[in-house]
Amino acid sequence: MYVLIDISHPSPGRAHDTANKAAAIMRDILAAEPGGAGNFRIGFLSFGADLRQFHESRPSGPIPLIPEAVEHTRLGRLLEIPNQILRKMRHPAFPLHRHAPLLFIVGEGQIDDIERFERALDQVWEREAGKIVGSYPHVGQGDLVRHISQSMDPVADLNKARYAREFPVDPPIEKAEGQAPPDDHPGWPFALGDKDRKPAALPNAVAGVPYQFRFHPGFRQEFDIAGERPPGLEFDSGTGVLSGIPQGDGKHEITFRWHDPKAVFGSRVREESATLTINPDPKSLWVSKSPDPDAPFQKKNAEAFRVEGPDMIIAAASVRGRSHAHAGTFRDDDSRIFTEGPWSVAVVADGAGSAEFSRRGSEVAVNTFAEHAGPLLREKLDGPLDGIEPGNSERRPDGKIRTGIYGSLVMSAFEAARAVEHEAKKHGKRSGEFSTTLVAAAARKTSVGWFTAGFSIGDGGAAVLGPGGGEAVTLTKADSGTHAGETRFLTTGEFKDTNAVMDRIHHAFTPNPAAVVVMTDGVTDPKFPTDSDFLNPESWVKFWNADLGREVVLHPGNHGIHEQLLAWLDFWSKGNHDDRTVAIMLPRK
Amino acid sequence: MRRLPIYILLDTSKSMEGEPIESVKVGLETLTTTLRSDPHALETAHISIITFGSRARQVVPLTDILSFQPPDIRAWGSTPMGGALSLVADRIRDEVRKSTPDQKADWKPLVFLMTDGIPTDHLDSGVAELRKVKTGMVVACAAGPNADKDLLMRITENVVSLDTLDNASISAFFKWISASISATSQKVDLGKQDNKGDDGATLEDLPPPPPEINLH
């Protein structure tokens, strides 16, 4: 903090008086510093013909003596001194770097070295001085000092500085969902009150989320809010804590009033304002609208199914995301679950939100897939799987199995891609308007436990879980790009490169699986935020037991399992409001 | 959580003094108030403000809407537009998350730039820096008669202009930014793009601008 004091003619007496008062106030300010005053420095600099920095000290140092008045007002030259120090202060290693330095200029009359002053002032701005307060009521060069907020009462400004300094440096208590402001929050610390600037803004609140902000009452007596309190908040004048559960939303101006026993001039009752913005609860802003009943390709907002196979039960649920509900658009996801001989199969698809008719694309994709996959699985895979002899895993015909998956799951997906493109052509549209992803998994019993296979294009995913949800083996490849929102879609072009397609085939043998889970990205994004999470068996254990297992009775005998899945899909996850589809297969014990 | 980063670059040179800079301040206030009531933007959009006047500075780092507070800005100094572009490239590199095994990528950042003059520093080096980072869309606005639209075309093909530097034009521009942020927040929430091609977003992907804003 620097105080620049003009001791030139014609203001010798006043400057002398002001400077001495300023020095006393500065000492008070530092005495009230919460973290101890050790890190703070105040420089008192005088400017006149005989330029001197007559005092720079740590707060414990002596009060400066104010010298006699001099002839000229060489403010420009003087301003270069704090400038050099400000440059140092912006260095990250300097302990003051979190504070914008405060700079006060107290004086009156003409400035003699205007050009130099202008240059220096420009540099001060560049160095991000937190506040420059000047007092130049009689200055002729109005143009020159308009960037300094003018004040007739330099001492009042210094009092303001004291107030400003006493905001705590530590951020307010962390709010829910990690919404605490970043360390370098804008407007921190606060410079209050001068009329060219806005009132200080307190860190924002969120309706319904506990809020707490601590002021240091410091020297203030009878420190309280003068007018209305923001709804839901209380102020404890003893501790200086503003806290409570804010309500409503909007911007509130709070007037603080206190008694200042050390006020130098005028009234000892002081007032300052600060603003507090209360954000609405984000959840309260979402609305649900029905889609246009006359639009083509109608689709239900939610659906759930349960299918019983010989060895497994399969359940699926699919629900329109909050984004679509808010906009009154259709669900783009779709799903099919079915059994065929020993096989249980689940396929889910996520129509691209950016594609106008993707709801139809996903529907065509899952239906076409379902049409082909059953017979192909039997034809291509039953042979190799039935031939497996128990005991020696080395002798499993992995090559034949992978070829069989290619001939069944991949070929069905290819047929689905063709059907989507054909559907677009039929309606005279580009196939991009029907874009969809596809995630499929199939399972059956073998002599060495359960066999599961997966194939996908685009994100979402599938996995087979071992007992208790442990030992998860993922059955799909992550298709996310470098930036968010990039994925791949089911097109016939994706099948041209056989090696790339083979990379998308995964299978596993699991002696005693708990389940096979198949999901669109509306579920995988919030539940497995990163590729690492998706591949990490521990995330799956948590998902299975602490999340899904809490709301859904994961037992093949549960006849309401699909309805429970549907209810579970309504979970809240910030920023994740896509359509959600999940299918699970549970072996009968 | 995938964030939608928005960088707003504002010319705060001395020529913006008076009504223009006051209008910019009001524009930022309006933008904040509008986005606070939009559930998509509230959860997705993150805003950073970079000013260039005398020096390019990031006055607000990338901040979510719930915590965002419009900065206090002043008009002062020259127009270091090239420096502002280099700075935003640097900030994008630093602040925008890329996809790694342990983190989901942010959406590609949107960059809005508004200037009332011509750069007083080397623009092309800033343009070169900006090209090195991946952006969803860069929109440059030539505000008032002294801005050079052709020069801005060197930064991006998405150039708009305001005929005058008055409150009506500037507030229209900020309303349009706000509508664009809302629309993009909603769009990214709804869907994805194919990662095979360059999406090449253009002004047609944003809401139609009000009459005060001319397209080029």
Side-chain angles (χ1 to χ4, degrees):
Chain A
M1 180 180 302
Y2 279 84
V3 182
L4 279 58
I5 297 166
D6 179 2
I7 53 163
S8 67
H9 185 78
S11 57
R14 245 187 86 167
H16 188 103
D17 185 41
T18 302
N20 277 315
K21 282 173 182 160
I25 291 170
M26 289 298 150
R27 285 208 315 168
D28 284 348
I29 291 173
L30 293 162
E33 265 304 326
N39 283 337
F40 293 86
R41 274 171 171 248
I42 297 184
F44 285 93
L45 301 103
S46 66
F47 49 102
D50 177 21
L51 176 80
R52 281 178 297 176
Q53 180 179 1
F54 62 81
H55 186 76
E56 182 186 6
S57 77
R58 288 181 181 279
S60 54
I63 303 175
L65 295 168
I66 306 297
E68 291 306 306
V70 289
E71 287 294 319
H72 300 286
T73 308
R74 293 174 56 195
L75 184 55
R77 171 73 187 86
L78 186 77
L79 205 51
E80 288 170 5
I81 297 173
N83 221 344
Q84 287 159 11
I85 297 157
L86 286 173
R87 186 167 48 203
K88 259 198 294 190
M89 288 171 80
R90 298 310 298 175
H91 192 277
F94 201 82
L96 270 184
H97 76 284
R98 284 183 63 186
H99 299 270
L102 302 175
L103 191 62
F104 289 84
I105 302 172
V106 181
E108 57 191 356
Q110 300 268 331
I111 295 170
D112 292 335
D113 54 347
I114 289 164
E115 284 177 14
R116 198 164 187 172
F117 172 76
E118 232 181 355
R119 263 201 314 277
L121 194 59
D122 193 13
Q123 285 169 357
V124 168
W125 282 127
E126 285 188 17
R127 303 233 155 86
E128 303 171 21
K131 178 184 178 99
I132 301 183
V133 176
S135 168
Y136 271 84
H138 306 301
V139 150
Q141 303 87 355
D143 188 51
L144 180 65
V145 289
R146 68 188 160 193
H147 296 287
I148 308 180
S149 61
Q150 294 196 40
S151 165
M152 297 292 285
D153 185 355
V155 175
D157 282 331
L158 290 172
N159 271 316
K160 280 176 193 164
R162 169 160 62 180
Y163 183 73
R165 284 237 64 87
E166 283 180 1
F167 282 88
V169 175
D170 44 321
I173 286 175
E174 192 162 329
K175 289 170 275 176
E177 296 196 333
Q179 286 162 3
D183 236 16
D184 245 348
H185 197 257
W188 195 273
F190 307 111
L192 277 200
D194 62 68
K195 51 191 174 231
D196 286 352
R197 300 179 73 146
K198 302 178 294 189
L202 302 179
N204 297 346
V206 178
V209 177
Y211 183 84
Q212 181 165 343
F213 189 79
R214 184 167 51 93
F215 299 83
H216 280 272
F219 62 93
R220 299 186 195 95
Q221 295 175 357
E222 299 160 34
F223 180 34
D224 209 345
I225 292 179
E228 296 223 341
R229 285 144 175 75
L233 293 180
E234 277 307 319
F235 185 70
D236 183 326
S237 59
T239 57
V241 171
L242 178 68
S243 65
I245 297 177
Q247 303 299 330
D249 74 288
K251 195 168 179 177
H252 301 271
E253 186 156 334
I254 312 170
T255 305
F256 292 95
R257 183 183 295 157
W258 70 92
H259 184 78
D260 180 0
K262 294 178 186 165
V264 185
F265 294 144
S267 167
R268 292 187 169 181
V269 176
R270 301 209 170 269
E271 278 190 1
E272 294 288 352
S273 299
T275 59
L276 174 68
T277 298
I278 301 177
N279 288 298
D281 176 359
K283 291 181 202 175
S284 72
L285 297 172
W286 293 98
V287 298
S288 179
K289 292 182 212 151
S290 297
D292 178 2
D294 299 324
F297 313 126
Q298 292 281 319
K299 189 179 267 193
K300 283 186 197 163
N301 292 339
E303 49 189 6
F305 307 98
R306 183 176 183 277
V307 170
E308 303 218 1
D311 302 313
M312 277 189 153
I313 72 109
I314 321 171
S318 180
V319 65
R320 184 169 71 144
R322 284 185 181 82
S323 285
H324 283 136
H326 192 74
T329 49
F330 289 95
R331 173 170 61 104
D332 290 335
D333 274 14
D334 222 314
S335 67
R336 285 289 299 271
I337 49 176
F338 56 95
T339 61
E340 174 98 14
W343 290 96
S344 295
V345 186
V347 54
V348 300
D350 171 17
S354 53
E356 194 178 353
F357 303 116
S358 63
R359 59 182 178 278
R360 177 64 180 163
S362 59
E363 185 184 349
V364 169
V366 296
N367 285 341
T368 310
F369 183 93
E371 206 176 292
H372 290 85
L376 285 174
L377 284 165
R378 298 220 63 179
E379 182 190 331
K380 306 287 182 186
L381 273 168
D382 277 354
L385 292 175
D386 288 338
I388 294 173
E389 286 173 24
N392 193 348
S393 64
E394 296 291 316
R395 286 177 55 199
R396 275 180 205 159
D398 271 347
K400 278 186 190 164
I401 288 170
R402 288 178 62 79
T403 309
I405 296 171
Y406 186 89
S408 54
L409 294 186
V410 176
M411 286 319 292
S412 304
F414 178 71
E415 290 301 330
R418 285 217 315 188
V420 170
E421 285 166 17
H422 182 258
E423 178 77 7
K425 200 178 269 176
K426 198 169 86 186
H427 294 281
K429 307 284 182 193
R430 288 183 306 109
S431 53
E433 289 177 72
F434 288 71
S435 288
T436 181
T437 67
L438 185 112
V439 184
R444 61 156 279 189
K445 253 184 184 169
T446 70
S447 59
V448 291
W450 283 83
F451 167 81
T452 49
F455 177 77
S456 69
I457 290 185
D459 44 19
V464 54
L465 310 183
E471 300 158 42
V473 177
T474 55
L475 299 170
T476 53
K477 172 179 186 283
D479 262 333
S480 50
T482 312
H483 282 268
E486 296 171 326
T487 190
R488 286 175 175 260
F489 293 119
L490 180 72
T491 60
T492 48
E494 288 288 344
F495 295 86
K496 280 181 188 150
D497 180 348
T498 313
N499 289 331
V501 170
M502 291 308 283
D503 272 351
R504 296 175 176 279
I505 292 177
H506 299 263
H507 73 274
F509 288 92
T510 315
N512 190 19
V516 180
V517 184
V518 186
M519 301 174 282
T520 60
D521 65 339
V523 182
T524 51
D525 279 357
K527 297 303 181 187
F528 303 91
T530 68
D531 292 353
S532 294
D533 292 331
F534 186 70
L535 295 169
N536 182 357
E538 281 173 34
S539 329
W540 285 92
V541 172
K542 218 172 115 196
F543 169 77
W544 188 249
N545 297 298
D547 191 339
L548 189 66
R550 285 208 171 183
E551 294 197 29
V552 180
V553 180
L554 296 162
H555 189 278
N558 175 6
H559 291 274
I561 188 167
H562 53 305
E563 295 297 339
Q564 290 172 4
L565 277 178
L566 194 63
W568 171 79
L569 282 179
D570 194 35
F571 62 82
W572 178 265
S573 171
K574 185 184 167 190
N576 291 301
H577 306 301
D578 200 357
D579 298 339
R580 294 169 179 166
T581 302
V582 62
I584 56 175
M585 308 188 211
L586 299 175
R588 296 174 189 278
K589 300 298 173 202
Chain B
M1 232 283 296
R2 300 168 158 185
R3 309 177 302 171
L4 172 65
I6 313 284
Y7 286 86
I8 302 177
L9 279 55
L10 299 170
D11 184 338
T12 55
S13 62
K14 195 159 179 170
S15 56
M16 288 289 287
E17 195 163 42
E19 187 179 343
I21 200 83
E22 291 309 315
S23 306
V24 167
K25 284 191 204 174
V26 173
L28 283 173
E29 287 281 350
T30 314
L31 176 119
T32 314
T33 313
T34 312
L35 295 180
R36 285 200 304 116
S37 58
D38 175 346
H40 288 105
L42 201 56
E43 295 187 23
T44 311
H46 283 57
I47 299 183
S48 166
I49 308 287
I50 287 175
T51 59
F52 52 105
S54 187
R55 193 173 69 108
R57 293 204 294 140
Q58 187 182 37
V59 291
V60 183
L62 203 59
T63 305
D64 69 282
I65 306 277
L66 285 178
S67 317
F68 182 82
Q69 299 186 337
D72 197 11
I73 50 179
R74 319 168 185 82
W76 184 254
S78 52
T79 311
M81 202 187 301
L85 296 179
S86 301
L87 179 61
V88 74
D90 179 65
R91 299 325 298 147
I92 287 173
R93 220 172 273 130
D94 198 48
E95 292 175 331
V96 177
R97 297 178 196 143
K98 293 222 172 84
S99 183
T100 69
D102 293 313
Q103 101 186 352
K104 280 278 186 190
D106 288 331
W107 305 99
K108 280 183 265 183
L110 298 188
V111 179
F112 294 92
L113 176 144
M114 187 180 92
T115 179
D116 73 328
I118 52 173
T120 50
D121 63 350
H122 196 55
L123 183 66
D124 288 340
S125 61
V127 172
E129 284 300 311
L130 186 60
R131 293 262 153 82
K132 289 182 195 162
V133 295
K134 206 165 184 185
T135 50
M137 190 182 325
V138 179
V139 178
C141 174
N146 296 325
D148 185 340
K149 294 186 276 284
D150 294 333
L151 206 63
L152 295 185
M153 295 294 283
R154 273 158 51 188
I155 305 174
T156 172
E157 58 190 18
N158 305 311
V159 174
V160 299
S161 70
L162 307 175
D163 292 333
T164 53
L165 256 186
D166 57 10
N167 185 39
S169 304
I170 291 175
S171 64
F173 179 64
F174 275 92
K175 277 184 191 143
W176 182 60
I177 294 184
S178 165
S180 300
I181 295 173
S182 285
T184 312
S185 306
Q186 186 179 347
K187 201 162 77 182
V188 298
D189 208 355
L190 284 176
K192 317 211 169 194
Q193 297 136 357
D194 199 319
N195 73 352
K196 282 186 298 182
D198 197 1
D199 53 356
T202 65
L203 288 175
E204 283 165 23
D205 296 311
L206 299 181
E212 289 86 350
I213 298 176
N214 315 312
L215 292 173
H216 292 279

